[in-house]
């Protein structure tokens, strides 16, 4: 019996669930619809951070301390650029560069991003389908008092500092979901809204034509995983950086960075919400929004925790009603 799950998400948070979920499913049963609004051109190379983070994580090569790039990578090319007086603020690892060189050359040969991505997936040997949310070029822009900044310039160069006035999704008005995305949502046994930044990673996907309608139409089998655990302080610089970014972007919407606020954003699209045990006090408020709440350990601090969360999702996908509460 196949159990197909489609997860919508961004980079680090999504990949932390995708890795154990891919382990819990058969090859080909997991599809990721990945945000591309963080993508950028740099040195003539098209860089897709969220696609690469999932590609590297699913092939066991992602640097866990940074959360992005390849483990053990070196940055000699960047050091050489600095030696030449260039401000290399976006750090591209020497091994990571190979991905950007190959992706860019395939794109320049006329292949759409979705085809290039499946080529990279094939060559990396992972069994999860990675679908960029769209083949069109899109890019979030962060509006601040001193001007508008491309997403990575804000996130990396400015350290995701606030206050942010608003987020613009450049190019989204003429973008459509890439081939297979709408089917992957319609035909999955379960759709998961992954634990990614709601404003910069999930919203761009939802902004594409047909996505919200598809999710709302099958809301009963759409589940969201909280991207925030308020009661447990983050313990790595990378997670602190990502939390700062999420807080600033939620604040630009007049929202606190809490599980309840995120649940409010997804209430019309998902019928259930996985809340972290540490934030269990928020369960009643989320239920009042009309969502079923499942309390679980959502911080995947070790593989067994990831497996338990993945098993809860697979049980839900295979219609095993009953207690999804992973211990
Ligand atoms: N994040 C940083 O904080 N500093 C960097 O220099 C940096 C470089 C980088 C290069 C390739 C890549 O795939 C990701 C990279 N990231 C870096 C992370 C990236 O900014 C984020 O993963 C997302 O775009 C935000 O979710």
């Amino acid at each position: 019996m196949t159990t197909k799950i489609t997860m919508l998400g961004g980079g680090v948070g999504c990949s932390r669930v995708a890795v154990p979920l891919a382990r819990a499913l058969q090859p080909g049963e997991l599809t990721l619809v990945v945000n591309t609004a963080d993508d950028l051109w740099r040195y003539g190379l098209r860089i897709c951070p969220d696609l690469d983070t999932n590609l590297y994580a699913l092939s066991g090569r992602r640097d866990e301390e940074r959360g992005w790039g390849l483990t053990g990578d070196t940055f000699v090319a960047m050091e050489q650029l600095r030696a030449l007086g260039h401000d290399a603020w976006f750090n591209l690892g020497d091994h990571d560069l190979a991905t950007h060189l190959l992706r860019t050359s395939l794109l320049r040969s006329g292949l759409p991003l979705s085809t290039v991505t499946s080529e990279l997936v094939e060559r990396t040997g992972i069994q999860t389908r990675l679908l960029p949310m769209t083949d069109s070029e899109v890019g979030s822009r962060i509006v601040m008092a001193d001007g508008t900044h491309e997403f990575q310039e804000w996130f990396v160069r400015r350290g995701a500092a606030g206050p942010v006035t608003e987020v613009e999704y450049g190019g989204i008005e003429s973008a459509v979901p890439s081939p297979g995305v709408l089917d992957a949502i319609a035909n999955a046994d379960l759709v998961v809204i992954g634990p990614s930044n709601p404003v910069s990673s999930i919203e761009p996907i939802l902004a594409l034509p047909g996505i919200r309608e598809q999710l709302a139409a099958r809301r009963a089998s759409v589940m969201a995983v909280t991207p925030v655990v308020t009661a447990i302080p983050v313990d790595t610089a990378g997670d602190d950086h990502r939390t700062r970014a999420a807080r600033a972007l939620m604040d630009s919407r007049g929202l606190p960075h809490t599980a309840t606020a995120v649940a409010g954003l997804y209430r019309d699209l998902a019928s259930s919400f996985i809340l972290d045990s540490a934030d269990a006090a928020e369960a009643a408020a989320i239920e009042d929004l009309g969502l079923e709440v499942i309390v679980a350990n959502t911080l995947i601090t070790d593989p067994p925790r990831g497996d338990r969360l993945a098993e809860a999702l697979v049980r839900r996908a295979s219609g095993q009603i009953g207690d999804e509460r992973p211990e």
Side-chain angles (χ1 to χ4, degrees):
M1 201 257 287
T2 64
T3 304
K4 288 191 292 182
I5 295 181
T6 294
M7 177 156 62
L8 314 181
V12 179
C14 174
S15 66
R16 284 183 176 147
V17 174
V19 169
L21 201 44
R23 251 197 323 263
L25 292 168
Q26 295 303 311
E29 289 185 336
L30 178 60
T31 297
L32 301 185
V33 176
V34 181
N35 169 51
T36 57
D38 291 7
D39 296 2
L40 71 160
W41 286 104
R42 192 91 180 123
Y43 310 116
L45 301 172
R46 187 68 181 164
I47 295 159
C48 306
D50 287 348
L51 282 167
D52 291 346
T53 294
N54 283 287
L55 192 69
Y56 294 163
L58 286 162
S59 53
R61 300 176 302 153
R62 187 261 303 277
D63 184 280
E64 291 306 322
E65 196 271 326
R66 286 193 301 264
W68 50 270
L70 288 163
T71 188
D73 210 343
T74 51
F75 293 85
V76 175
M78 293 299 113
E79 287 154 25
Q80 192 54 31
L81 278 167
R82 292 184 191 109
L84 290 168
H86 173 76
D87 174 10
W89 54 270
F90 193 75
N91 293 291
L92 295 169
D94 300 310
H95 299 79
D96 188 28
L97 273 168
T99 304
H100 312 313
L101 290 167
L102 180 58
R103 171 182 282 122
T104 304
S105 64
L106 292 172
L107 288 170
R108 289 204 191 291
S109 73
L111 295 173
L113 181 58
S114 45
T115 305
V116 172
T117 302
S118 55
E119 188 61 32
L120 288 169
V121 163
E122 171 83 22
R123 296 181 191 205
T124 306
I126 61 174
Q127 268 91 30
T128 297
R129 271 199 318 161
L130 287 194
L131 302 179
M133 67 184 202
T134 179
D135 281 335
S136 308
E137 191 172 310
V138 293
S140 294
R141 291 193 292 265
I142 307 298
V143 181
M144 302 178 81
D146 68 348
T148 300
H149 310 281
E150 286 197 12
F151 180 82
Q152 297 295 348
E153 207 268 335
W154 169 72
F155 183 81
V156 176
R157 202 174 196 183
R158 292 165 170 261
V164 170
T165 308
E166 68 171 307
V167 180
E168 296 170 348
Y169 302 114
I172 208 81
E173 62 288 338
S174 57
V176 296
S178 64
V181 163
L182 291 174
D183 283 349
I185 293 173
N187 301 330
D189 297 298
L190 177 71
V191 175
V192 179
I193 300 179
S196 301
N197 186 313
V199 178
S200 61
S201 298
I202 301 296
E203 187 115 7
I205 302 173
L206 302 180
L208 293 167
I211 301 281
R212 281 185 176 274
E213 293 78 4
Q214 286 276 359
L215 291 170
R218 55 158 308 149
R219 179 175 175 273
S221 55
V222 178
M223 177 178 262
V225 180
T226 187
V228 51
V229 181
T230 302
I232 299 178
V234 290
D235 61 1
T236 67
D239 283 337
D240 183 55
H241 185 179
R242 286 180 283 275
T243 299
R244 188 166 61 246
R247 182 172 293 115
L249 298 187
M250 288 292 277
D251 182 58
S252 79
R253 295 285 166 83
L255 295 170
H257 186 223
T258 62
T260 306
V262 175
L265 289 174
Y266 301 154
R267 63 190 297 193
D268 298 332
L269 308 171
S271 56
S272 53
F273 189 89
I274 300 190
L275 175 67
D276 193 87
S277 321
D279 289 344
E282 294 187 51
I286 297 171
E287 281 159 354
D288 289 349
L289 293 169
L291 288 140
E292 176 202 1
V293 175
I294 289 139
V295 174
N297 289 324
T298 64
L299 291 179
I300 300 178
T301 47
D302 56 39
R305 273 202 172 189
D307 292 337
R308 285 200 293 275
L309 184 62
E311 280 147 22
L313 294 171
V314 173
R315 280 199 302 274
R316 175 59 64 107
S318 51
Q320 291 167 18
I321 311 298
D323 188 4
E324 272 79 19
R325 293 175 198 280
E327 57 286 0

